[in-house]
Amino acid sequence: MYRLKGKIALVTGAARGIGEAIAHAFLNEGAIVYLSDINDELGFNTAKKLGGSAQYVRLDVRSEQDWRSVMDLIVSTHGAIDVVVNNAGITGFEGGDLVHDPENASLEAWRAVHETNLDGVFLGCKYAIKAMRPRGVGSIINISSRSGLVGIPGAAAYASSKAAIRNHTKTVALYCAEQGLRIRCNSIHPAAILTPMWEPMLGNGPDREARMAELVSDTPLRRFGMPEEVAALAVLLASDEATYITGSELSIDGGLLAGSAASLRAEDA
Ligand code: NAI
């Protein structure tokens, strides 16, 4: 039984990582999937590799014009869209600028992270609602982060943008419900998922394995999560199994936020 049979889905930032895994899982569940990104070569090759109904379209999530064009294309081809996954996101570390603490980060870097992560999700929700409104039904899935739930001293803009995504998700969910629409909107909060996003932090040196272990040392399950594990959650939220889930935030973090990082032993308590 295909859980997303015939649903039309758009995934942003789908050339690689979590977005690619979500596109793959959606295809396996019978959806017609548009993969979008700004890395056209990789996006095109990923869509080709995934095969089936997968198609690549360029969509810079920061561009309102791109959102209009892509949604017009999908709606004119299929009459509607059922699922939009606002996945594209950046940490700000991509260009090698590792200074993102609240005292020293540049205003330019702060704005660039918000432009992709937050403006991109705002536009994605805006155009998803418009495209879903005629049929009055759909699922919007916003990829936030555990960094949207707690402060991150070394990644101020990333944490701020992801926190804003969490709250905007709830605003969108309530707005759609208020309007009598069955358009659901939920956020997913992953932590430490092994994708190319981590490469600037991991490097390719001899200490790579040690760095990986160090990065997940606070995670109760003591490992990185896999993109496919996040994709499984996205499939649930996209499907008709989740028709009563809206405005919610779902963590997928190996237990990281389940308790305090201070691991008290029973005898210390
Ligand atoms: P990634 O860096 O591997 O992939 C991100 C994709 O987004 C890339 O293909 C990139 O070209 C694309 N992209 C960047 N700017 C774009 C723009 N303006 N318009 C369209 N596409 C753009 O990242 P990953 O790890 O797959 O992350 C996906 C989402 O999951 C992001 O929102 C990220 O913040 C979030 N996330 C990731 C975690 C992790 O540990 N990997 C943890 C928590 C959240």
Side-chain angles (χ1 to χ4, degrees):
M1 194 186 77
Y2 294 110
R3 295 160 76 195
L4 304 178
K5 193 168 169 38
K7 288 195 191 289
I8 315 297
L10 170 70
V11 184
T12 68
R16 68 183 202 187
I18 293 172
E20 175 185 353
I22 292 174
H24 192 193
F26 281 12
L27 286 161
N28 283 343
E29 292 296 345
I32 293 161
V33 183
Y34 286 82
L35 290 86
S36 64
D37 210 284
I38 46 172
N39 186 338
D40 294 332
E41 194 183 345
L42 188 60
F44 183 80
N45 286 334
T46 300
K48 203 168 147 195
K49 180 180 80 186
L50 295 183
S53 71
Q55 279 188 59
Y56 176 73
V57 284
R58 181 184 174 83
L59 195 177
D60 182 336
V61 296
R62 298 165 294 185
S63 160
E64 188 150 16
Q65 185 48 50
D66 279 9
W67 274 106
R68 272 197 212 101
S69 313
V70 169
M71 285 304 201
D72 282 353
L73 168 79
I74 296 174
V75 172
S76 63
T77 308
H78 302 280
I81 189 160
D82 300 293
V83 184
V84 172
V85 184
N86 291 307
N87 164 76
I90 58 172
T91 55
F93 299 132
E94 290 81 4
D97 171 13
L98 300 181
V99 183
H100 282 273
D101 67 78
E103 183 180 9
N104 298 300
S106 69
L107 182 57
E108 196 189 1
W110 169 270
R111 284 183 175 152
V113 170
H114 282 84
E115 195 182 6
T116 297
N117 295 3
L118 183 55
D119 297 4
V121 169
F122 159 69
L123 290 171
C125 292
K126 173 174 173 173
Y127 284 91
I129 297 168
K130 286 186 189 302
M132 291 170 180
R133 183 180 278 283
R135 285 185 32 214
V137 59
S139 173
I140 303 169
I141 301 167
N142 295 331
I143 307 298
S144 175
S145 171
R146 64 88 186 256
S147 309
L149 300 169
V150 294
I152 306 287
Y158 185 72
S160 159
S161 65
K162 292 296 184 180
I165 291 170
R166 169 185 174 270
N167 207 54
H168 190 61
T169 298
K170 296 179 194 305
T171 296
V172 170
L174 293 179
Y175 172 80
C176 291
E178 229 174 59
Q179 305 262 313
L181 300 167
R182 283 179 296 128
I183 300 172
R184 299 177 294 104
C185 185
N186 294 288
S187 56
I188 294 181
H189 298 259
I193 308 299
L194 196 56
T195 70
M197 179 182 262
W198 285 93
E199 289 309 321
M201 279 76 87
L202 290 173
N204 264 328
D207 59 346
R208 185 181 167 91
E209 289 299 317
R211 282 191 192 202
M212 281 179 72
E214 170 62 24
L215 282 165
V216 295
S217 60
D218 286 343
T219 303
L221 292 187
R222 291 281 191 278
R223 66 168 175 89
F224 273 90
M226 298 311 289
E228 295 73 23
E229 295 176 303
V230 182
L233 206 44
V235 168
L236 170 70
L237 290 176
S239 78
D240 293 338
E241 296 153 33
T243 42
Y244 203 51
I245 305 180
T246 195
S248 76
E249 52 193 79
L250 301 178
S251 283
I252 174 158
D253 63 1
L256 187 63
L257 296 185
S260 160
S263 51
L264 281 181
R265 291 167 303 167
E267 56 269 33
D268 300 331

